Amino acid sequence: MTETFKALVVDKGETFSVAVQPLSLEKLPAGEVLIRVAYSSVNYKDGLASIPNGNIVRNYPFIPGIDLSGTVVSSADPRFHEGQAVIATGYGIGVSHYGGFSEYARIPAGWVMPLPAGLSLREAMIYGTAGFTAAMSIQALEAHGAAPDKGKVLVTGATGGVGGTAVAMLAKKGYQITASTGRADADSYLKTLGAAEIISREEVSGGSGKPLDKQLWQAAVDSVGGAPLAALLSKIAYGGSVAASGLTAGTAVPATVLPFILRGVSLLGIDTVACPIEQRIQIWERMASDLKPERLDALVDREITLTELPAALEDILASNTRGRVLVRLS
């Protein structure tokens, strides 16, 4: 086994730094499963972990990366064996526990799951937490009555990881999708993923401005939050629902109770961090089967190495990324 390996380390010394550094295995935190990482991916939370005021990382030095896939090197837990393909997302990974921007990772066994049949290690990280969030959102909407024959579904932030994956998954299931984006050059990309209609973010926020507006969508996958979330709630059809998972437009939602008490609209909170492992495995099985888009690779913006990662983290914070950025570790 290698004595040293490379990882992206963020540190707060006299100045804040983000750099690829050599590390030894003994520097990795406690955990039952040692994994040789094959792929990770770039998420908005990873971008926040790479800046001094991102309010993600508490202790330094630290290795970000909330997603990883790879093969087991060794395991103290009998559920996993050497050479087994596995994935790990959520929990404390990349937040309080060293993450996936590293050639090796040591992870608690309760946070690790076998790679589902029907997915490669690379495909799993095309999904990553973003794809898992999209799948969890769709499952929640379906549990509240969403169906392809009940009308249009809105996806906000559609060029982002969650939004783009949601568009592709919903298209696979036969939904008619309205994709909202702030990017003027995204039409071709979103139509490739399966969007039937593309609107600007201003069209989501616009309208009468009343607490109850024209009923446009049976449901929505929202990764934006803030005022746009309040606006789209007023446009959801009677008995519809919204799965909310993001905050790129802010944490304050200036809404009224009227969509909830006069139209029976449901606002569904989507948390992928503490999702129980049993539910996590079940959703990933769907991601490998009925929710898997025909052209999963169409979601990939680019594939990079560790040395290119600092620039990619800057890009995702500046909204200069369309789709998913894969990080190839081995």
Side-chain angles (χ1 to χ4, degrees), residues 190-207:
L190 292 173
K191 287 178 180 177
T192 297
L193 296 182
E197 178 185 19
I198 299 158
I199 63 175
S200 68
R201 60 173 62 141
E202 290 76 19
E203 290 177 83
V204 174
S205 300

Side-chain angles (χ1 to χ4, degrees), residues 43-57:
N43 299 275
Y44 190 75
K45 187 180 286 186
D46 300 322
L48 293 175
S50 71
I51 57 177
N53 59 346
N55 296 320
I56 295 294
V57 179

Side-chain angles (χ1 to χ4, degrees), residues 44-269:
Y44 190 75
K45 187 180 286 186
D46 300 322
L48 293 175
S50 71
I51 57 177
N53 59 346
N55 296 320
I56 295 294
V57 179
R58 297 288 181 266
N59 298 303
Y60 295 90
F62 191 74
I63 299 173
I66 63 174
D67 299 331
L68 64 92
S69 67
T71 54
V72 175
V73 175
S74 61
S75 175
D77 188 295
R79 290 175 292 178
F80 303 100
H81 58 82
E82 182 181 351
Q84 184 177 10
V86 294
I87 56 178
T89 65
Y91 304 108
I93 299 169
V95 177
S96 58
H97 188 97
Y98 281 12
F101 294 161
S102 174
E103 293 177 335
Y104 285 85
R106 187 179 285 122
I107 305 294
W111 299 355
V112 181
M113 57 171 282
L115 179 73
L119 286 180
S120 67
L121 291 173
R122 183 177 184 274
E123 288 176 326
M125 289 298 100
I126 295 177
Y127 279 139
T129 290
F132 181 68
T133 304
M136 194 173 183
S137 299
I138 293 168
Q139 181 152 303
L141 294 177
E142 291 176 337
H144 281 76
D149 62 353
K150 290 186 177 181
K152 298 178 181 180
V153 175
L154 173 70
V155 177
T156 65
T159 56
V162 175
T165 311
V167 170
M169 287 178 169
L170 287 164
K172 173 70 182 297
K173 298 294 289 182
Y175 285 86
Q176 187 176 6
I177 306 144
T178 299
S180 168
T181 178
R183 297 186 60 154
D185 61 347
D187 284 24
S188 176
Y189 169 68
L190 292 173
K191 287 178 180 177
T192 297
L193 296 182
E197 178 185 19
I198 299 158
I199 63 175
S200 68
R201 60 173 62 141
E202 290 76 19
E203 290 177 83
V204 174
S205 300
S208 70
K210 296 178 180 179
L212 294 177
D213 209 330
K214 185 177 180 180
Q215 300 178 51
L216 299 178
W217 307 294
Q218 62 157 316
V221 176
D222 178 62
S223 59
V224 174
L229 173 56
L232 74 87
L233 283 167
S234 72
K235 300 179 176 74
I236 298 297
Y238 187 90
S241 54
V242 177
S245 63
L247 46 65
T248 55
T251 57
V253 182
T256 75
V257 299
L258 295 185
F260 311 120
I261 66 174
L262 295 182
R263 286 185 179 165
V265 172
S266 297
L267 179 58
L268 312 173

